[in-house]
Amino acid sequence: VINSVTNKSFYDLISTYRIRAAQKLLEDPNNDKRKLLDLAMDVGYNSESTFYSHFKKVTGMTPSKYRQQRGT
């Protein structure tokens, strides 16, 4: 059902939800001093490299770049 409705695998769907949660954390000024690995772990990633690759796949930019753009 997930594949036919969303055109994504279950794994990709979960990854998208995790990245959306990470975006909200990155948009919160209270998290400006927190390391990206900490934020990645908060949304369910155990690896910074996996978080970075999934974040870029979903948003088109790295978490660092996303954080910088929020400030502008």
Side-chain angles (χ1 to χ4, degrees):
V1 172
I2 291 171
N3 291 2
S4 61
V5 172
T6 65
N7 291 325
K8 295 181 180 183
S9 69
F10 175 75
Y11 182 72
D12 286 339
L13 182 65
I14 295 301
S15 179
T16 300
Y17 279 111
R18 287 177 172 172
I19 296 304
R20 298 291 179 229
Q23 286 178 288
K24 288 181 182 181
L25 291 174
L26 288 167
E27 291 167 5
D28 184 347
N30 293 323
N31 293 319
D32 284 350
K33 301 272 191 243
R34 293 187 65 199
K35 293 181 180 182
L36 290 173
L37 179 58
D38 292 337
L39 298 177
M41 294 183 89
D42 283 352
V43 297
Y45 287 95
N46 294 322
S47 162
E48 193 170 21
S49 61
T50 303
F51 172 65
Y52 265 70
S53 65
H54 288 184
F55 195 97
K56 189 164 185 172
K57 181 180 177 184
V58 171
T59 66
M61 65 182 79
T62 65
S64 301
K65 184 71 171 176
Y66 189 86
R67 181 182 263 174
Q68 287 173 349
Q69 284 192 348
R70 191 216 71 206
T72 58

